[in-house]
Amino acid sequence: LVVRDPNRPDGSLPILFGAAGLALAAVLGSLIWVWSREERMRMLQREADEDSLSGLRTRRRFEEEVRAAMARSSRDGTTGALLMLDLDRFKNVNDSYGHLAGDKLIKEVAAVLRKRTREGDALARLGGDEFAIALPSCRPDEANVVAEAIVTAIREHRPANPEVEPVTASVGVANFGIDQ
């Protein structure tokens, strides 16, 4: 004979709650693992595509965008331009004022370049004091005007650190597309 006490819970109820808790913990753990993996993948992709100092594209990402711009140019029958930019006397800044001052100046020049380029242009820091800009859908005469405007903007930029001398830039322009 088995007597059941109605005031005492059945033994299966705590087991059910325990199993539900374990299942919920497993689902939450899986979600957290997937989320953190996706976040790590986004971070790695951002590091591969974005220069950590300037926030501009990396050389690898820039080369991909230039290839795509050239393919579009060929397909659409348009022209474009590639600007290669090098800061003059930048080594003097690093040697005289230190690498922190040089890094700050690189960030400032990147900001100047962002202001002088269009949304659809590809802007990259290739390394050191070298930058590149791809100007899709740009005629050769327009590319020369953009290059001159960028050189002027860099020359007129006054570094945030008043001790640091302003720098100038040298730029080369290469055109691509059917009108060449």
Side-chain angles (χ1 to χ4, degrees), residues 35-52 56-58 60-61 64:
W35 177 80
S36 65
R37 183 177 182 275
E38 290 294 320
E39 186 64 27
R40 281 193 309 269
M41 292 301 290
R42 279 193 294 275
M43 183 184 72
L44 289 172
Q45 186 65 44
R46 187 173 48 251
E47 287 176 4
D49 290 345
E50 184 179 295
D51 176 60
S52 62
L56 302 178
R57 292 171 179 87
T58 60
R60 183 191 65 79
R61 179 70 177 147
E64 290 173 1

Side-chain angles (χ1 to χ4, degrees), residues 51 53-56 85 87 90 93 99-116 123 125 128 131 150 153-167:
D51 176 60
L53 179 61
S54 65
L56 302 178
L85 188 107
L87 299 180
F90 180 75
V93 173
H99 288 281
L100 289 178
D103 289 352
K104 176 90 171 120
L105 186 59
I106 290 291
K107 291 176 188 176
E108 292 173 16
V109 168
V112 169
L113 294 175
R114 276 191 202 92
K115 289 179 186 174
R116 291 290 178 180
L123 176 58
R125 176 173 175 237
F131 298 86
I150 287 172
I154 291 172
R155 183 179 58 243
E156 292 175 352
H157 173 74
R158 297 295 170 244
N161 182 345
E163 295 176 358
V164 174
E165 304 166 17
V167 293

Side-chain angles (χ1 to χ4, degrees), residues 1-17:
L1 182 67
V2 177
V3 178
R4 298 187 95 197
D5 183 359
N7 294 330
R8 187 168 176 214
D10 188 11
S12 63
L13 189 61
I15 293 172
L16 179 65
F17 280 137

